[in-house]
Amino acid sequence: MKWGLIGASSIAENRMIGAFRESGDEIIAVQSSNAGHAAEFAARNDIAQSVTDLQQLLEQPGLEAVYISSTNEKHFDQAMAAIAAGKHVLCEKPLAMTISDAVGMVRAAEKAGTVFATNHHLRNAASHRAIRDLIRQGAIGEVLSARVFHAVNLPEALQGWRIDSKGAGGGVILDIVVHDADTIRFHLGEGPEEVTAMTSTGRLGKGVEDGVMSVWTMPSGILVQTHESFTHAHAGTGIEFHGTDGSIFARGVMTQNPNGEIILRRGGEATPVSFQPEDLYQRGVRAFGDAVQGKGRPAADGRDGVASLAVALAVSEAAETGQRTRVDYGGF
Ligand code: NDP
């Protein structure tokens, strides 16, 4: 497949360009609003063309799909233009800044008949697929609760718009809660109805939150507790599911890398669960390519991206108002 990159970003450079090329795909051009940055990015990454104008990218001969990894407030307009040009779209999370925009993107792609996916990489982790299998097989019985630990130390290189620009979609809620919401939906097959939350700010965040804890109630009655942060250097990440017959403890699995460990505990017995590590982003690109060929669906589609954004926006509102907040899935 022939790709165009919209956004000359760190995630494109550090993860996605390799994932596209490993999958046998080609990157024909990159678009960035800054000509110098675009040209340097293209040269560094062996991409033949760099442009500043989005339409110029979309008019490249043979272009089939675009990967959008600009700052969050740009995703909507860029995705709508790409869909209007008949391109398949792999869009970074959060899909947009509002639910109505995110729903609009997904509906536009559905109407155009193009593939539209959200780059929620954690669904592609072998660890998470193993956890989901355990839950589905009934290894822990009926699930009662889940806990997500996703408090990390935001690397200095990423401490730009994420920590000071509300307008660009900064803050830990739009950055990390979306991933946790998607991961919980992936495991449990349902999303929260209501949430409560509190945030922290000021250690790293300037005008945006740099930490959040939230509690979610699921339609089935399952309770979910989450912790996301930019300021925790030593906490490590993890996810736990607790059921009537056992518990799953997974450590080091809320990351970009294919690592971590899983323990299934039943009574006094603790059993390590093995999985075959695989690059998360490569698997996502492969699933996207298959979907374009009519074979299956992307790992996380547009509707998954709407749902994860809906949860994040509810968490944000709950923290701001101090109220228990209903999640608005925009009619999906
Ligand atoms: P970056 O800050 O690296 O890049 C975002 C945009 O900032 C670029 O598209 C470009 O804007 C501008 N920019 C960056 N560097 C320069 C520079 N030196 N000079 C001029 N402009 C520059 O973003 P990230 O890679 O951290 O994040 C991009 C998107 O990807 C976000 O939506 C984020 O949420 C998502 N993301 C997803 C991850 C995942 O695992 N799924 C992980 C990390 C990020 P422009 O496009 O206008 O030229």
Side-chain angles (χ1 to χ4, degrees):
M1 187 142 63
K2 287 190 167 56
W3 289 88
L5 305 184
I6 299 178
S9 67
S10 313
I11 180 74
E13 183 154 28
N14 297 332
R15 302 280 174 175
M16 296 304 293
I17 290 175
F20 292 130
R21 289 180 173 151
E22 277 295 323
S23 307
D25 290 355
E26 197 185 327
I27 299 158
I28 58 177
V30 56
Q31 181 272 341
S32 171
S33 55
N34 180 307
H37 176 59
E40 280 169 27
F41 184 97
R44 231 175 22 243
N45 293 289
D46 208 13
I47 298 170
Q49 276 209 68
S50 65
V51 298
T52 53
D53 180 47
L54 180 58
Q55 284 308 323
Q56 205 185 330
L57 179 95
L58 296 172
E59 285 163 13
Q60 291 294 315
L63 185 81
E64 295 165 274
V66 296
Y67 166 59
I68 299 176
S69 66
S70 52
T71 45
N72 304 329
E73 86 287 10
K74 294 182 177 174
H75 295 175
F76 173 71
D77 286 343
Q78 292 169 333
M80 292 303 271
I83 294 163
K87 307 305 171 194
H88 304 293
V89 176
L90 173 58
C91 187
E92 269 305 343
K93 44 48 65 168
L95 284 189
M97 302 290 284
T98 66
I99 282 299
S100 61
D101 279 359
V103 167
M105 292 152 86
V106 174
R107 287 207 192 286
E110 287 174 355
K111 198 164 165 215
T114 54
V115 172
F116 185 95
T118 314
N119 205 26
H120 278 309
H121 60 291
L122 292 169
R123 282 176 180 245
N124 296 304
S127 55
H128 284 288
R129 296 203 310 284
I131 293 168
R132 191 170 71 152
D133 287 349
L134 289 172
I135 293 171
R136 284 185 169 180
Q137 289 156 10
I140 59 169
E142 190 187 337
V143 181
L144 303 171
S145 64
R147 295 198 283 206
V148 186
F149 311 92
H150 205 157
V152 298
N153 192 33
L154 188 68
E156 212 173 317
L158 298 185
Q159 291 178 19
W161 56 271
R162 269 186 184 76
I163 60 165
D164 66 5
S165 177
K166 215 173 173 57
V172 78
I173 295 177
L174 283 183
D175 201 44
I176 305 185
V177 172
V178 283
H179 279 314
D180 296 345
D182 185 65
T183 306
I184 287 289
R185 286 184 65 252
F186 177 69
H187 288 304
L188 299 180
E190 60 178 354
E193 276 177 341
E194 288 188 314
V195 304
T196 61
M198 287 193 192
T199 53
S200 63
T201 190
R203 186 166 285 275
L204 208 52
K206 302 176 191 85
V208 299
E209 76 290 342
D210 54 24
V212 60
M213 289 189 179
S214 61
V215 176
W216 311 346
T217 56
M218 308 299 265
S220 63
I222 294 172
L223 277 177
V224 178
Q225 181 190 60
T226 81
H227 179 201
E228 294 85 6
S229 172
F230 285 156
T231 62
H232 284 48
H234 314 285
T237 70
I239 194 165
E240 296 176 357
F241 292 92
H242 304 286
T244 50
D245 299 344
S247 286
I248 297 165
F249 297 85
R251 290 282 177 270
V253 295
M254 308 303 288
T255 77
Q256 297 181 303
N257 296 317
N259 43 24
E261 59 184 40
I262 306 170
I263 301 287
L264 172 63
R265 188 192 294 163
R266 281 190 284 209
E269 225 176 83
T271 314
V273 177
S274 63
F275 55 90
Q276 194 60 46
E278 181 185 7
D279 185 281
L280 284 62
Y281 296 94
Q282 276 174 32
R283 188 175 186 281
V285 167
R286 236 184 17 250
F288 186 93
D290 287 348
V292 167
Q293 287 174 23
K295 292 182 272 177
R297 45 156 280 168
D301 64 17
R303 286 174 180 251
D304 295 316
V306 170
S308 65
L309 175 62
V311 177
L313 292 176
V315 166
S316 183
E317 188 184 328
E320 264 170 42
T321 60
Q323 303 287 317
R324 194 171 165 136
T325 302
R326 186 157 278 278
V327 181
D328 171 10
Y329 289 100
F332 277 0

